[in-house]
Amino acid sequence: MPEPVYISAADSYALRGWVWRRSCVSSSHPGPVVIINTATSVRCRYYMPFADYLYQQGWDVVTYDYRGIGDSRHHSLRKLKADWIDWGQHDFEGVLRYVARRFPGQPVDVVGHSAGGFVIGFAQSAHRVRRIFTMGAQYAYWRDYAPEARRSMFLRWHLAMPLLALLIGYVPAKRLGWMEDTPKGVALDWARMGPRFEHNVRRKRETPEGEPEAEMLVRGFARVQAPILALGIDDDPFGTRPALDRLLEYYSSSERYHLRLAPTVVGQPSIGHFAFFHKRFRDVLWPLAMEWLRTGNPPTTYSWRAALSTA
């Protein structure tokens, strides 16, 4: 059974998460540990079946809620200053440091869903990661949305969401049936995204050396050395081919594979942006992530290879 834990972010914010850990680990051959980075404003509990699967396959597992989300929401969101950069720079960084302390010597893998694959590049310790698997990972540039859904998505995520954030001080998304309530800074990051993320976040902010902070953030992605398998589902309106390629371009030091999957390949009419993590895909899709994390070898069967490209 998973153990509830508190994890200190890099700036000491208290994050709540869950840990699956084996009682006996060989000191000479320690097994791997995987961190699951969630999608924007999705509770880490959503990924528990997938985390349990990886645990059964030999990984120790850490899941957590970003600040302001789920069990890491401690006070009113109106007073919380948090954006996507904080989630990577402080929250994911804090989890990496926690794993280094609690799982010393164990290889560290990461699964990133949606923005969870984006925030990896902001963590100072991201160079410690061995392998990365992402599902629908991108940073929500609206022109990359699927054409048939682009208008409605633009109205919701780039007009209604930032307006609510500015008027109320946060996005009451849970009451609207969208997702978890969301900090204003995260909503505004999402809403203002353009083709290059560094042109739209932390604007006019500088490092102590007088450099634009956004330029420093971009360089951080080159610290990531881990090979990446980025899975995109053809009926995912967020995770289109252009959207995934746009993010992968930043991970310039990584060996990158972009795998496209049509739902019909696995006998499904639809998978979309979220269903990959549903239990019904345990025997159909989850082994794809598991084998990549275990071996670092891209898929080799004909049906997968036909849709695989190398960045």
Side-chain angles (χ1 to χ4, degrees):
M1 292 294 292
E3 167 195 359
V5 294
Y6 278 104
I7 300 172
S8 180
D11 62 352
S12 299
Y13 187 98
L15 305 171
R16 189 66 183 266
W18 299 84
V19 171
W20 288 250
R21 185 172 189 180
R22 301 180 180 284
S23 57
C24 296
V25 178
S26 169
S27 58
S28 58
H29 295 91
V33 54
V34 62
I35 300 168
I36 299 178
N37 283 351
T38 73
T40 296
S41 302
V42 177
R43 298 182 70 154
C44 69
R45 293 172 183 266
Y46 179 78
Y47 303 87
M48 279 188 164
F50 184 70
D52 191 63
Y53 168 81
L54 290 177
Y55 175 71
Q56 293 175 25
Q57 300 301 318
W59 277 263
D60 292 320
V61 185
V62 177
T63 69
Y64 67 103
D65 287 324
Y66 304 122
R67 64 186 61 202
I69 304 301
D71 293 328
S72 296
R73 175 179 178 173
H74 306 313
H75 305 290
S76 170
L77 290 186
R78 290 186 178 90
K79 299 179 180 179
L80 179 66
K81 294 184 178 180
D83 58 15
W84 268 339
I85 314 304
D86 290 319
W87 284 359
Q89 227 174 33
H90 299 309
D91 297 358
F92 178 53
E93 173 65 20
V95 175
L96 284 170
R97 295 180 188 181
Y98 169 85
V99 166
R101 293 191 305 271
R102 185 161 182 185
F103 303 86
Q106 295 181 233
V108 180
D109 299 326
V110 176
V111 171
H113 181 206
S114 196
F118 176 43
V119 302
I120 294 170
F122 300 127
Q124 187 175 8
S125 301
H127 64 278
R128 298 176 179 170
V129 177
R130 179 183 67 163
R131 296 187 187 109
I132 297 170
F133 174 84
T134 66
M135 165 57 213
Q138 35 66 49
Y139 53 82
Y141 173 43
W142 71 273
R143 289 188 183 275
D144 287 340
Y145 295 156
E148 64 276 10
R150 188 176 298 152
R151 182 176 180 274
S152 62
M153 292 173 70
F154 183 86
L155 291 173
R156 173 181 291 192
W157 305 122
H158 301 267
L159 289 180
M161 181 173 68
L163 181 61
L164 287 168
L166 292 170
L167 288 174
I168 301 174
Y170 72 101
V171 182
K174 195 168 185 178
R175 278 177 277 172
L176 298 171
W178 294 355
M179 52 193 180
E180 292 294 306
D181 293 345
T182 302
K184 180 173 73 172
V186 172
L188 296 181
D189 271 359
W190 182 341
R192 66 167 64 107
M193 275 297 166
R196 299 286 301 182
F197 82 80
E198 67 272 21
H199 297 163
N200 302 279
V201 301
R202 300 290 175 96
R203 292 179 292 187
K204 300 181 180 180
R205 291 178 59 168
E206 295 184 345
T207 66
E209 295 73 30
E211 176 190 26
E213 185 174 347
E215 294 181 11
M216 179 269 293
L217 293 173
V218 171
R219 286 202 309 275
F221 281 74
R223 286 195 298 261
V224 181
Q225 304 286 323
I228 302 170
L229 178 61
L231 176 61
I233 307 297
D234 283 350
D235 70 331
D236 177 357
F238 290 101
T240 62
R241 185 181 297 275
L244 268 62
D245 285 342
R246 193 178 300 279
L247 176 57
L248 285 172
E249 182 182 348
Y250 284 95
Y251 290 104
S252 57
S253 300
S254 297
E255 185 178 15
R256 293 154 287 171
Y257 298 93
H258 181 170
L259 177 64
R260 302 302 302 177
L261 168 67
T264 54
V265 170
V266 291
Q268 295 291 321
S270 177
I271 297 175
H273 192 56
F274 290 97
F276 176 89
F277 296 98
H278 289 184
K279 285 183 179 179
R280 70 177 185 272
F281 292 117
R282 175 188 176 95
D283 298 324
V284 180
L285 293 179
W286 293 1
L288 173 69
M290 183 268 295
E291 286 298 329
W292 164 257
L293 295 177
R294 175 171 288 164
T295 67
N297 297 323
T300 56
T301 64
Y302 176 78
S303 60
W304 295 116
R305 180 182 288 275
L308 184 67
S309 62
T310 305

